Amino acid sequence: MAKWTNDTGLDAALDWFADCDEINVCSAQPTTYTEAITTYSLADVAVTAGDGNGDFTVANGDASGRKLTVAAQSAVTVDTTGTATHLAGTKSGDTTLRWVTTVTSQALTASNTVDIPTFDLEIADPT
């Protein structure tokens, strides 16, 4: 028997991930909101929550399923010197950690800037 998922269900999950208002550049993998915005935070940038607003776009996945594309963020001010290893999406309104992804390890120096490239969070169709 074939497996199938309606795109609306996958989109609902991705819309929840897109409902964040900040991207945090972190020195380690955060597992809580506080770790993302304070403990491991090296830099942060405010983003506009929601699908289709310029910072987040939901579309067909590269191989299957659906994906959330997160727009590039340029010249983000570095607040704390350290080595960036992760990005985290957070929402201040309900203090939730929405998602975490890895990045290529990069040394950052306070008062400099860092660019966050465009990236995707993808949910594959069931197999």
Side-chain angles (χ1 to χ4, degrees), residues 57-70:
T57 305
V58 175
N60 284 326
D62 293 335
S64 73
R66 303 288 283 166
K67 70 179 176 182
L68 175 69
T69 299
V70 182

PDB file of all heavy atoms in Angstrom, residues 57-70:
ATOM      1  N   THR A  57       9.358  31.322   3.128  1.00  0.00           N
ATOM      2  CA  THR A  57       8.497  30.911   2.022  1.00  0.00           C
ATOM      3  C   THR A  57       8.344  29.399   2.027  1.00  0.00           C
ATOM      4  O   THR A  57       9.348  28.675   2.061  1.00  0.00           O
ATOM      5  CB  THR A  57       9.088  31.352   0.665  1.00  0.00           C
ATOM      6  OG1 THR A  57       9.315  32.762   0.702  1.00  0.00           O
ATOM      7  CG2 THR A  57       8.143  31.021  -0.474  1.00  0.00           C
ATOM      8  N   VAL A  58       7.111  28.913   1.995  1.00  0.00           N
ATOM      9  CA  VAL A  58       6.826  27.480   1.925  1.00  0.00           C
ATOM     10  C   VAL A  58       6.589  27.108   0.464  1.00  0.00           C
ATOM     11  O   VAL A  58       5.870  27.814  -0.248  1.00  0.00           O
ATOM     12  CB  VAL A  58       5.602  27.110   2.790  1.00  0.00           C
ATOM     13  CG1 VAL A  58       5.230  25.651   2.611  1.00  0.00           C
ATOM     14  CG2 VAL A  58       5.885  27.420   4.258  1.00  0.00           C
ATOM     15  N   ALA A  59       7.207  25.996   0.028  1.00  0.00           N
ATOM     16  CA  ALA A  59       7.077  25.546  -1.363  1.00  0.00           C
ATOM     17  C   ALA A  59       7.322  24.040  -1.412  1.00  0.00           C
ATOM     18  O   ALA A  59       7.590  23.401  -0.387  1.00  0.00           O
ATOM     19  CB  ALA A  59       8.077  26.274  -2.246  1.00  0.00           C
ATOM     20  N   ASN A  60       7.245  23.469  -2.621  1.00  0.00           N
ATOM     21  CA  ASN A  60       7.567  22.053  -2.798  1.00  0.00           C
ATOM     22  C   ASN A  60       9.005  21.788  -2.378  1.00  0.00           C
ATOM     23  O   ASN A  60       9.890  22.619  -2.614  1.00  0.00           O
ATOM     24  CB  ASN A  60       7.391  21.638  -4.263  1.00  0.00           C
ATOM     25  CG  ASN A  60       5.941  21.487  -4.638  1.00  0.00           C
ATOM     26  OD1 ASN A  60       5.117  21.079  -3.824  1.00  0.00           O
ATOM     27  ND2 ASN A  60       5.607  21.832  -5.865  1.00  0.00           N
ATOM     28  N   GLY A  61       9.229  20.618  -1.786  1.00  0.00           N
ATOM     29  CA  GLY A  61      10.574  20.221  -1.393  1.00  0.00           C
ATOM     30  C   GLY A  61      11.446  19.940  -2.603  1.00  0.00           C
ATOM     31  O   GLY A  61      10.951  19.757  -3.720  1.00  0.00           O
ATOM     32  N   ASP A  62      12.755  19.893  -2.397  1.00  0.00           N
ATOM     33  CA  ASP A  62      13.682  19.639  -3.493  1.00  0.00           C
ATOM     34  C   ASP A  62      13.521  18.237  -4.063  1.00  0.00           C
ATOM     35  O   ASP A  62      13.572  18.043  -5.266  1.00  0.00           O
ATOM     36  CB  ASP A  62      15.127  19.849  -3.038  1.00  0.00           C
ATOM     37  CG  ASP A  62      15.411  21.319  -2.717  1.00  0.00           C
ATOM     38  OD1 ASP A  62      14.720  22.202  -3.269  1.00  0.00           O
ATOM     39  OD2 ASP A  62      16.323  21.574  -1.915  1.00  0.00           O
ATOM     40  N   ALA A  63      13.340  17.252  -3.193  1.00  0.00           N
ATOM     41  CA  ALA A  63      13.177  15.864  -3.640  1.00  0.00           C
ATOM     42  C   ALA A  63      11.732  15.398  -3.492  1.00  0.00           C
ATOM     43  O   ALA A  63      11.206  14.692  -4.344  1.00  0.00           O
ATOM     44  CB  ALA A  63      14.106  14.949  -2.854  1.00  0.00           C
ATOM     45  N   SER A  64      11.087  15.775  -2.404  1.00  0.00           N
ATOM     46  CA  SER A  64       9.696  15.424  -2.139  1.00  0.00           C
ATOM     47  C   SER A  64       9.199  16.301  -1.003  1.00  0.00           C
ATOM     48  O   SER A  64       9.949  17.114  -0.470  1.00  0.00           O
ATOM     49  CB  SER A  64       9.567  13.942  -1.763  1.00  0.00           C
ATOM     50  OG  SER A  64      10.056  13.714  -0.449  1.00  0.00           O
ATOM     51  N   GLY A  65       7.965  16.131  -0.616  1.00  0.00           N
ATOM     52  CA  GLY A  65       7.431  16.863   0.529  1.00  0.00           C
ATOM     53  C   GLY A  65       7.371  18.359   0.314  1.00  0.00           C
ATOM     54  O   GLY A  65       7.114  18.839  -0.782  1.00  0.00           O
ATOM     55  N   ARG A  66       7.640  19.095   1.385  1.00  0.00           N
ATOM     56  CA  ARG A  66       7.554  20.550   1.371  1.00  0.00           C
ATOM     57  C   ARG A  66       8.776  21.125   2.079  1.00  0.00           C
ATOM     58  O   ARG A  66       9.410  20.467   2.896  1.00  0.00           O
ATOM     59  CB  ARG A  66       6.282  21.011   2.078  1.00  0.00           C
ATOM     60  CG  ARG A  66       5.003  20.441   1.496  1.00  0.00           C
ATOM     61  CD  ARG A  66       4.633  21.016   0.164  1.00  0.00           C
ATOM     62  NE  ARG A  66       4.048  22.341   0.359  1.00  0.00           N
ATOM     63  CZ  ARG A  66       3.870  23.222  -0.615  1.00  0.00           C
ATOM     64  NH1 ARG A  66       4.243  22.942  -1.840  1.00  0.00           N
ATOM     65  NH2 ARG A  66       3.317  24.388  -0.356  1.00  0.00           N
ATOM     66  N   LYS A  67       9.098  22.380   1.783  1.00  0.00           N
ATOM     67  CA  LYS A  67      10.233  23.022   2.429  1.00  0.00           C
ATOM     68  C   LYS A  67       9.896  24.451   2.805  1.00  0.00           C
ATOM     69  O   LYS A  67       9.046  25.103   2.187  1.00  0.00           O
ATOM     70  CB  LYS A  67      11.468  22.993   1.539  1.00  0.00           C
ATOM     71  CG  LYS A  67      11.381  23.893   0.311  1.00  0.00           C
ATOM     72  CD  LYS A  67      12.650  23.818  -0.510  1.00  0.00           C
ATOM     73  CE  LYS A  67      12.516  24.657  -1.786  1.00  0.00           C
ATOM     74  NZ  LYS A  67      13.707  24.552  -2.611  1.00  0.00           N
ATOM     75  N   LEU A  68      10.574  24.920   3.833  1.00  0.00           N
ATOM     76  CA  LEU A  68      10.509  26.297   4.278  1.00  0.00           C
ATOM     77  C   LEU A  68      11.848  26.927   3.927  1.00  0.00           C
ATOM     78  O   LEU A  68      12.886  26.487   4.427  1.00  0.00           O
ATOM     79  CB  LEU A  68      10.276  26.370   5.786  1.00  0.00           C
ATOM     80  CG  LEU A  68      10.301  27.756   6.413  1.00  0.00           C
ATOM     81  CD1 LEU A  68       9.084  28.565   5.957  1.00  0.00           C
ATOM     82  CD2 LEU A  68      10.338  27.664   7.930  1.00  0.00           C
ATOM     83  N   THR A  69      11.834  27.912   3.040  1.00  0.00           N
ATOM     84  CA  THR A  69      13.062  28.617   2.693  1.00  0.00           C
ATOM     85  C   THR A  69      13.164  29.847   3.584  1.00  0.00           C
ATOM     86  O   THR A  69      12.222  30.637   3.682  1.00  0.00           O
ATOM     87  CB  THR A  69      13.077  29.026   1.211  1.00  0.00           C
ATOM     88  OG1 THR A  69      12.994  27.835   0.421  1.00  0.00           O
ATOM     89  CG2 THR A  69      14.337  29.783   0.856  1.00  0.00           C
ATOM     90  N   VAL A  70      14.311  29.987   4.232  1.00  0.00           N
ATOM     91  CA  VAL A  70      14.580  31.122   5.116  1.00  0.00           C
ATOM     92  C   VAL A  70      15.497  32.071   4.345  1.00  0.00           C
ATOM     93  O   VAL A  70      16.561  31.667   3.869  1.00  0.00           O
ATOM     94  CB  VAL A  70      15.236  30.662   6.429  1.00  0.00           C
ATOM     95  CG1 VAL A  70      15.462  31.839   7.358  1.00  0.00           C
ATOM     96  CG2 VAL A  70      14.372  29.594   7.112  1.00  0.00           C
TER      97      VAL A  70
END
